[in-house]
Amino acid sequence: MTTTMTSIGVTVIGSIEKKSFVYGKIIKGSSLYQVGYPYVGEAVLKNQDKIFSYQDLLNLRQQEGVLEMIPVGSKGILYEANQLAKSSKLIFKENNQAENLTQSAGPATVLLVAVDKEVVPVLLNDKIPIKKIGTFIREN
């Protein structure tokens, strides 16, 4: 991949109302869905219509039963799924359909959505793949 420009890092510091803070809210039996596919490099440019937008994120966040969401970057889906589990003192158990869990998702091309076990998140954009990749269980 040819580099045509470089960038800088930016740090943003802000505040949030306690009632809006959603971290460590996942419960035993919750499901984890993968929204999008892990793209890197030129694949990001070629598949822009298959990458979730900010509007998609907002739409998901407002759906009943959505507990937590986290974008996936260079560390991969499995890393972020385990971080979600750890924040709620649970373990992430992947299912048989889970694939590419350790592949980089580049500049946040995948969104993980944890939901109540009976909930299936819905996207308005049908070009973006969404699939259940696992559940959260208690430690033995």
Side-chain angles (χ1 to χ4, degrees), residues 4 14 20 26 41 45 67 70 72 76-77 88 97 106 121 123 131 136:
T4 57
S20 298
I26 301 171
L45 300 175
L67 303 172
I70 190 168
V72 178
I77 294 167
S88 295
Q97 287 77 32
L123 280 175
K131 65 179 178 177
F136 293 96

Side-chain angles (χ1 to χ4, degrees), residues 109-129:
T109 61
V110 171
L111 180 67
L112 296 182
V113 181
V115 298
D116 286 332
K117 62 182 171 182
E118 301 299 323
V119 173
V120 177
V122 177
L123 280 175
L124 300 177
N125 183 344
D126 61 358
K127 291 182 181 179
I128 301 172

Side-chain angles (χ1 to χ4, degrees), residues 14 93 121:
K93 182 171 174 32

Side-chain angles (χ1 to χ4, degrees), residues 1 14-15 32 50 54 66 77 83 99-100 103 121 133:
M1 181 170 153
S15 62
L32 187 64
K50 297 176 188 154
Y54 184 68
V66 171
I77 294 167
Q83 292 300 108
E99 55 186 47
N100 300 319
Q103 180 179 331
I133 59 169

